[in-house]
Coordinates of all heavy atoms in Angstrom, one line a residue:
M615 N 16.4 -3.1 -30.4 CA 16.5 -3.1 -28.9 C 15.1 -2.7 -28.3 O 14.5 -1.7 -28.8 CB 17.6 -2.1 -28.5 CG 17.6 -1.8 -27.1 SD 19.0 -0.9 -26.5 CE 19.0 0.6 -27.4
S616 N 14.7 -3.4 -27.3 CA 13.4 -3.1 -26.7 C 13.6 -1.9 -25.7 O 14.7 -1.8 -25.1 CB 13.0 -4.3 -25.9 OG 11.9 -4.0 -25.1
T617 N 12.6 -1.1 -25.6 CA 12.6 0.0 -24.6 C 11.3 0.1 -23.8 O 10.7 1.1 -23.7 CB 12.9 1.3 -25.2 OG1 12.0 1.6 -26.3 CG2 14.3 1.4 -25.8
Q618 N 10.8 -1.0 -23.4 CA 9.6 -1.1 -22.6 C 9.8 -0.8 -21.2 O 10.8 -1.3 -20.6 CB 9.0 -2.5 -22.7 CG 8.4 -2.8 -24.0 CD 7.7 -4.2 -24.0 OE1 7.8 -4.9 -23.0 NE2 7.0 -4.5 -25.0
R619 N 8.9 0.0 -20.6 CA 8.9 0.2 -19.1 C 8.5 -1.1 -18.4 O 7.6 -1.8 -18.9 CB 8.0 1.3 -18.7 CG 8.5 2.7 -19.1 CD 8.2 3.8 -18.2 NE 8.7 3.7 -16.8 CZ 9.9 4.0 -16.4 NH1 10.8 4.3 -17.3 NH2 10.2 4.0 -15.1
K620 N 9.2 -1.4 -17.3 CA 8.9 -2.6 -16.6 C 9.0 -2.3 -15.1 O 9.8 -1.5 -14.7 CB 9.9 -3.7 -16.9 CG 9.8 -4.3 -18.3 CD 10.2 -5.7 -18.4 CE 10.0 -6.3 -19.7 NZ 8.7 -6.9 -19.9
R621 N 8.2 -3.1 -14.3 CA 8.4 -3.1 -12.9 C 8.5 -4.6 -12.5 O 7.6 -5.4 -12.8 CB 7.1 -2.5 -12.2 CG 7.2 -2.6 -10.7 CD 6.2 -1.7 -10.0 NE 6.7 -0.4 -10.0 CZ 6.2 0.6 -9.3 NH1 5.1 0.3 -8.6 NH2 6.7 1.8 -9.3
L622 N 9.7 -4.9 -12.0 CA 10.0 -6.3 -11.6 C 10.2 -6.4 -10.1 O 10.6 -5.4 -9.5 CB 11.2 -6.7 -12.4 CG 11.3 -6.6 -13.9 CD1 12.7 -6.8 -14.4 CD2 10.3 -7.6 -14.5
S623 N 10.0 -7.6 -9.6 CA 10.3 -7.8 -8.2 C 11.0 -9.1 -8.0 O 10.8 -10.0 -8.8 CB 9.0 -7.8 -7.3 OG 8.1 -8.8 -7.7
G624 N 11.9 -9.2 -7.0 CA 12.7 -10.4 -6.8 C 13.8 -10.1 -5.8 O 13.9 -9.0 -5.2
R625 N 14.7 -11.0 -5.7 CA 15.9 -10.8 -4.8 C 17.0 -10.2 -5.6 O 17.4 -10.7 -6.7 CB 16.3 -12.2 -4.3 CG 17.5 -12.0 -3.3 CD 17.8 -13.2 -2.5 NE 16.7 -13.6 -1.6 CZ 16.4 -13.1 -0.4 NH1 17.1 -12.1 0.1 NH2 15.4 -13.6 0.3
L626 N 17.6 -9.1 -5.0 CA 18.7 -8.4 -5.6 C 20.0 -9.0 -5.1 O 20.2 -9.1 -3.9 CB 18.6 -6.9 -5.3 CG 19.6 -6.0 -5.9 CD1 19.4 -5.9 -7.5 CD2 19.5 -4.6 -5.3
T627 N 20.9 -9.4 -6.0 CA 22.2 -9.9 -5.6 C 23.3 -9.2 -6.4 O 23.0 -8.6 -7.4 CB 22.3 -11.4 -5.8 OG1 22.0 -11.7 -7.1 CG2 21.3 -12.2 -4.9
K628 N 24.5 -9.4 -5.9 CA 25.7 -8.9 -6.7 C 26.3 -10.0 -7.5 O 26.7 -11.0 -6.9 CB 26.7 -8.3 -5.7 CG 27.0 -6.9 -5.8 CD 28.0 -6.4 -4.9 CE 27.9 -4.9 -4.8 NZ 28.8 -4.3 -3.9
G629 N 26.4 -9.8 -8.8 CA 27.2 -10.7 -9.6 C 28.6 -10.3 -9.7 O 29.0 -9.3 -9.1
A630 N 29.4 -10.9 -10.6 CA 30.8 -10.6 -10.8 C 31.0 -9.2 -11.3 O 31.9 -8.5 -11.0 CB 31.4 -11.6 -11.7
R631 N 30.0 -8.8 -12.2 CA 30.2 -7.5 -12.9 C 29.0 -6.5 -12.7 O 29.1 -5.3 -13.0 CB 30.4 -7.7 -14.4 CG 31.7 -8.4 -14.7 CD 31.8 -8.4 -16.2 NE 33.0 -9.2 -16.5 CZ 33.4 -9.5 -17.7 NH1 32.7 -9.1 -18.7 NH2 34.5 -10.2 -17.9
S632 N 27.9 -7.0 -12.2 CA 26.7 -6.1 -12.1 C 25.8 -6.7 -11.0 O 26.0 -7.8 -10.5 CB 26.0 -6.1 -13.4 OG 25.6 -7.3 -13.9
L633 N 24.7 -5.9 -10.8 CA 23.6 -6.4 -9.9 C 22.7 -7.3 -10.7 O 22.5 -7.2 -11.9 CB 22.8 -5.2 -9.4 CG 23.6 -4.3 -8.5 CD1 22.8 -3.0 -8.2 CD2 23.9 -5.0 -7.2
L634 N 22.2 -8.3 -10.0 CA 21.3 -9.3 -10.6 C 20.0 -9.3 -9.9 O 20.0 -9.2 -8.6 CB 21.9 -10.7 -10.6 CG 23.2 -10.8 -11.3 CD1 23.8 -12.2 -11.1 CD2 23.1 -10.6 -12.8
L635 N 18.9 -9.4 -10.6 CA 17.5 -9.6 -9.9 C 17.0 -10.9 -10.4 O 16.9 -11.2 -11.6 CB 16.6 -8.5 -10.4 CG 15.2 -8.5 -9.8 CD1 15.2 -8.0 -8.4 CD2 14.2 -7.8 -10.6
T636 N 16.7 -11.8 -9.4 CA 16.1 -13.1 -9.7 C 14.6 -13.0 -9.2 O 14.3 -12.8 -8.0 CB 16.8 -14.2 -8.9 OG1 18.2 -14.1 -9.3 CG2 16.3 -15.6 -9.3
T637 N 13.7 -13.2 -10.2 CA 12.3 -13.1 -9.9 C 11.8 -14.5 -9.3 O 12.5 -15.5 -9.3 CB 11.5 -12.8 -11.2 OG1 11.7 -13.9 -12.1 CG2 12.0 -11.5 -11.8
S638 N 10.6 -14.4 -8.8 CA 10.0 -15.6 -8.2 C 9.8 -16.8 -9.2 O 9.7 -17.9 -8.9 CB 8.6 -15.3 -7.6 OG 7.7 -14.8 -8.6
D639 N 9.7 -16.5 -10.5 CA 9.6 -17.5 -11.6 C 11.0 -17.9 -12.1 O 11.1 -18.4 -13.2 CB 8.6 -17.1 -12.7 CG 9.0 -15.9 -13.4 OD1 9.9 -15.1 -12.9 OD2 8.4 -15.6 -14.4
A640 N 12.1 -17.6 -11.4 CA 13.5 -18.0 -11.7 C 14.1 -17.3 -12.9 O 15.0 -17.8 -13.4 CB 13.6 -19.5 -11.8
Q641 N 13.5 -16.1 -13.3 CA 14.2 -15.4 -14.4 C 15.2 -14.5 -13.7 O 15.0 -14.0 -12.6 CB 13.2 -14.4 -15.1 CG 12.2 -15.2 -16.0 CD 11.3 -14.2 -16.7 OE1 11.0 -13.1 -16.2 NE2 10.9 -14.6 -17.9
T642 N 16.4 -14.4 -14.4 CA 17.4 -13.5 -13.9 C 17.6 -12.3 -14.8 O 17.7 -12.5 -16.0 CB 18.7 -14.3 -13.8 OG1 18.5 -15.4 -12.9 CG2 19.9 -13.4 -13.2
W643 N 17.6 -11.1 -14.2 CA 17.8 -9.9 -15.0 C 19.0 -9.2 -14.5 O 19.4 -9.2 -13.3 CB 16.6 -8.9 -14.7 CG 15.3 -9.4 -15.3 CD1 14.5 -10.3 -14.8 CD2 14.7 -8.8 -16.5 NE1 13.4 -10.4 -15.6 CE2 13.5 -9.5 -16.7 CE3 15.1 -7.8 -17.4 CZ2 12.7 -9.2 -17.7 CZ3 14.2 -7.6 -18.4 CH2 13.0 -8.3 -18.6
I644 N 19.8 -8.6 -15.5 CA 20.9 -7.8 -15.2 C 20.4 -6.4 -14.9 O 19.6 -5.9 -15.8 CB 21.9 -7.8 -16.3 CG1 22.4 -9.2 -16.6 CG2 23.1 -6.8 -16.1 CD1 23.2 -9.4 -17.9
V645 N 20.8 -5.8 -13.8 CA 20.2 -4.5 -13.4 C 21.3 -3.5 -13.6 O 22.4 -3.5 -13.0 CB 19.8 -4.5 -11.9 CG1 19.2 -3.1 -11.6 CG2 18.7 -5.6 -11.7
D646 N 21.1 -2.5 -14.5 CA 22.0 -1.4 -14.7 C 21.5 -0.2 -13.8 O 20.4 0.3 -14.0 CB 22.0 -0.9 -16.1 CG 22.5 -1.9 -17.1 OD1 23.5 -2.7 -16.7 OD2 22.0 -2.0 -18.2
A647 N 22.2 0.1 -12.8 CA 21.9 1.2 -11.9 C 23.1 1.9 -11.4 O 23.9 1.2 -10.7 CB 21.1 0.6 -10.7
P648 N 23.3 3.1 -11.7 CA 24.5 3.8 -11.2 C 24.6 4.0 -9.7 O 25.7 3.9 -9.2 CB 24.4 5.2 -11.9 CG 23.0 5.4 -12.3 CD 22.4 4.0 -12.4
H649 N 23.5 4.2 -9.0 CA 23.6 4.5 -7.6 C 22.6 3.5 -6.9 O 21.4 3.7 -7.1 CB 23.3 5.9 -7.3 CG 24.2 6.9 -8.0 ND1 25.5 7.0 -7.7 CD2 23.9 7.7 -9.0 CE1 26.0 7.9 -8.5 NE2 25.1 8.3 -9.3
V650 N 23.1 2.6 -6.2 CA 22.2 1.6 -5.5 C 22.5 1.7 -4.0 O 23.7 1.6 -3.6 CB 22.4 0.2 -6.0 CG1 21.5 -0.8 -5.3 CG2 22.0 0.2 -7.5
D651 N 21.5 1.7 -3.2 CA 21.6 1.6 -1.7 C 22.1 0.2 -1.5 O 21.3 -0.8 -1.7 CB 20.3 1.9 -1.1 CG 20.3 1.8 0.4 OD1 21.4 1.4 1.0 OD2 19.3 2.2 1.1
Q652 N 23.3 0.0 -1.0 CA 23.9 -1.3 -0.8 C 23.2 -2.1 0.2 O 23.3 -3.4 0.3 CB 25.4 -1.2 -0.5 CG 26.2 -0.6 -1.6 CD 26.1 -1.5 -2.9 OE1 26.4 -2.7 -2.8 NE2 25.8 -0.9 -4.0
T653 N 22.4 -1.5 1.1 CA 21.6 -2.3 2.1 C 20.5 -3.1 1.4 O 19.9 -4.0 2.0 CB 21.0 -1.3 3.1 OG1 20.1 -0.4 2.5 CG2 22.1 -0.6 3.9
L654 N 20.2 -2.8 0.1 CA 19.1 -3.5 -0.6 C 19.7 -4.9 -1.2 O 18.9 -5.7 -1.5 CB 18.6 -2.7 -1.7 CG 17.8 -1.4 -1.3 CD1 17.4 -0.6 -2.5 CD2 16.6 -1.8 -0.5
V655 N 21.0 -5.0 -1.3 CA 21.6 -6.2 -1.8 C 21.3 -7.4 -0.9 O 21.5 -7.3 0.3 CB 23.1 -6.0 -2.1 CG1 23.7 -7.4 -2.5 CG2 23.3 -4.9 -3.1
G656 N 20.8 -8.5 -1.4 CA 20.4 -9.6 -0.6 C 18.9 -9.6 -0.2 O 18.5 -10.5 0.5
K657 N 18.2 -8.6 -0.5 CA 16.8 -8.4 -0.1 C 15.9 -8.5 -1.3 O 16.3 -8.4 -2.4 CB 16.6 -7.1 0.6 CG 17.4 -7.0 1.9 CD 17.1 -5.8 2.7 CE 17.9 -5.8 4.0 NZ 17.9 -4.5 4.6
N658 N 14.6 -8.7 -1.0 CA 13.6 -8.7 -2.0 C 13.2 -7.2 -2.3 O 13.0 -6.4 -1.4 CB 12.3 -9.4 -1.5 CG 12.5 -10.9 -1.5 OD1 13.2 -11.4 -2.4 ND2 11.9 -11.6 -0.5
V659 N 13.3 -6.9 -3.6 CA 13.1 -5.5 -4.0 C 12.2 -5.4 -5.2 O 11.8 -6.4 -5.8 CB 14.5 -4.9 -4.4 CG1 15.4 -4.8 -3.2 CG2 15.1 -5.6 -5.6
I660 N 11.8 -4.2 -5.5 CA 11.1 -3.8 -6.7 C 12.0 -2.9 -7.5 O 12.6 -2.0 -7.0 CB 9.8 -3.1 -6.4 CG1 8.8 -3.9 -5.6 CG2 9.1 -2.6 -7.7 CD1 7.6 -3.2 -5.0
V661 N 12.1 -3.3 -8.8 CA 13.0 -2.5 -9.7 C 12.0 -1.9 -10.8 O 11.3 -2.6 -11.4 CB 14.0 -3.4 -10.4 CG1 14.8 -2.5 -11.4 CG2 15.0 -4.0 -9.4
D662 N 12.1 -0.6 -10.9 CA 11.3 0.1 -11.9 C 12.2 0.7 -12.9 O 13.2 1.4 -12.5 CB 10.5 1.2 -11.2 CG 9.4 1.8 -12.1 OD1 8.9 1.1 -13.0 OD2 9.1 3.0 -12.0
G663 N 12.0 0.5 -14.2 CA 12.9 1.0 -15.2 C 12.6 0.6 -16.6 O 11.4 0.3 -16.9
I664 N 13.5 0.7 -17.5 CA 13.3 0.4 -18.9 C 14.1 -0.8 -19.3 O 15.3 -0.9 -19.1 CB 13.8 1.6 -19.8 CG1 12.9 2.8 -19.4 CG2 13.7 1.3 -21.3 CD1 13.4 4.1 -20.1
S665 N 13.4 -1.8 -20.0 CA 14.1 -3.0 -20.5 C 14.9 -2.6 -21.7 O 14.4 -2.0 -22.7 CB 13.0 -4.0 -20.9 OG 13.6 -5.1 -21.5
T666 N 16.2 -2.9 -21.6 CA 17.1 -2.5 -22.8 C 17.5 -3.8 -23.5 O 18.2 -3.6 -24.6 CB 18.3 -1.7 -22.3 OG1 19.0 -2.5 -21.3 CG2 17.9 -0.4 -21.6
A667 N 17.2 -4.9 -23.1 CA 17.5 -6.2 -23.7 C 16.6 -7.3 -23.1 O 15.9 -7.0 -22.2 CB 19.0 -6.6 -23.6
A668 N 16.6 -8.5 -23.6 CA 15.7 -9.5 -23.1 C 15.9 -9.8 -21.7 O 15.0 -10.3 -21.0 CB 15.9 -10.8 -24.0
D669 N 17.1 -9.6 -21.1 CA 17.4 -9.9 -19.7 C 18.1 -8.8 -19.0 O 18.8 -9.0 -18.0 CB 18.3 -11.2 -19.7 CG 19.7 -10.9 -20.3 OD1 19.9 -9.9 -21.0 OD2 20.6 -11.7 -20.1
R670 N 17.9 -7.5 -19.5 CA 18.6 -6.4 -18.9 C 17.6 -5.3 -18.6 O 16.7 -5.0 -19.5 CB 19.7 -5.9 -19.8 CG 20.6 -4.8 -19.2 CD 21.7 -4.5 -20.2 NE 22.7 -5.6 -20.3 CZ 23.8 -5.6 -19.5 NH1 24.1 -4.7 -18.7 NH2 24.6 -6.6 -19.7
I671 N 17.7 -4.6 -17.5 CA 16.8 -3.5 -17.1 C 17.7 -2.3 -16.6 O 18.6 -2.5 -15.8 CB 15.7 -3.9 -16.1 CG1 14.8 -2.7 -16.0 CG2 16.3 -4.3 -14.8 CD1 13.5 -3.1 -15.2
K672 N 17.4 -1.1 -17.2 CA 18.1 0.1 -16.7 C 17.2 0.7 -15.6 O 16.1 1.2 -16.0 CB 18.3 1.1 -17.9 CG 19.0 2.3 -17.4 CD 19.3 3.2 -18.6 CE 20.0 4.5 -18.1 NZ 20.3 5.4 -19.2
A673 N 17.6 0.6 -14.4 CA 16.7 1.0 -13.3 C 16.7 2.5 -13.1 O 17.7 3.2 -13.0 CB 17.2 0.3 -12.0
D674 N 15.4 3.0 -12.9 CA 15.2 4.4 -12.5 C 15.0 4.4 -11.0 O 15.3 5.4 -10.4 CB 13.9 4.9 -13.1 CG 14.0 5.0 -14.6 OD1 15.0 5.2 -15.2 OD2 12.9 4.8 -15.3
W675 N 14.5 3.3 -10.4 CA 14.3 3.3 -9.0 C 14.3 1.8 -8.5 O 13.9 0.9 -9.2 CB 12.9 3.8 -8.7 CG 12.4 3.8 -7.3 CD1 12.8 4.7 -6.4 CD2 11.6 2.8 -6.7 NE1 12.2 4.4 -5.2 CE2 11.5 3.2 -5.3 CE3 11.0 1.7 -7.1 CZ2 10.8 2.4 -4.4 CZ3 10.3 0.9 -6.2 CH2 10.2 1.3 -4.9
I676 N 14.9 1.7 -7.3 CA 15.0 0.3 -6.7 C 14.6 0.6 -5.2 O 15.1 1.4 -4.5 CB 16.3 -0.3 -6.7 CG1 16.8 -0.5 -8.2 CG2 16.3 -1.7 -6.0 CD1 18.2 -1.0 -8.3
G677 N 13.6 -0.2 -4.7 CA 13.1 -0.1 -3.4 C 12.7 -1.4 -2.8 O 12.6 -2.4 -3.5
C678 N 12.5 -1.4 -1.5 CA 12.1 -2.7 -0.8 C 10.8 -3.1 -1.3 O 9.9 -2.3 -1.5 CB 12.1 -2.4 0.7 SG 13.7 -2.3 1.5
A679 N 10.6 -4.4 -1.4 CA 9.4 -5.0 -1.8 C 8.5 -5.2 -0.6 O 8.9 -5.3 0.5 CB 9.6 -6.4 -2.5

C-alpha cells in the first residue's frame, strides 16, 4: 500500500458511496474525508492528504482552488 503525500486539484463531487475528485487530466480519485464542508461539493478544490491506493486519497484538508 502506498502512503505518499499528495496535493491534488479538481472538481469535487458526491458518488454513491463517497466523495470523488476528478482532475483536469480526467483522473478520478476516491476521497476519504470524515468531515467535509458540503458547500465545496460541485466546486473546484484542492485536496491535501495521503495516497492510500492507486485511486484513493485520505484527505487531511480540502479547500477552494
Side-chain angles (χ1 to χ4, degrees):
M615 172 170 58
S616 173
T617 56
Q618 287 185 349
R619 285 213 64 77
K620 290 208 177 273
R621 178 169 276 191
L622 304 168
S623 61
R625 181 165 301 276
L626 186 67
T627 57
K628 239 182 199 180
R631 295 185 183 175
S632 60
L633 293 171
L634 303 173
L635 181 76
T636 304
T637 64
S638 61
D639 60 349
Q641 288 185 331
T642 300
W643 289 79
I644 299 167
V645 180
D646 296 324
H649 305 289
V650 175
D651 180 353
Q652 293 301 308
T653 63
L654 295 174
V655 175
K657 296 187 178 168
N658 288 325
V659 299
I660 296 170
V661 176
D662 191 31
I664 296 174
S665 173
T666 58
D669 64 347
R670 186 176 291 265
I671 187 166
K672 182 175 180 185
D674 297 327
W675 178 83
I676 301 174
C678 287

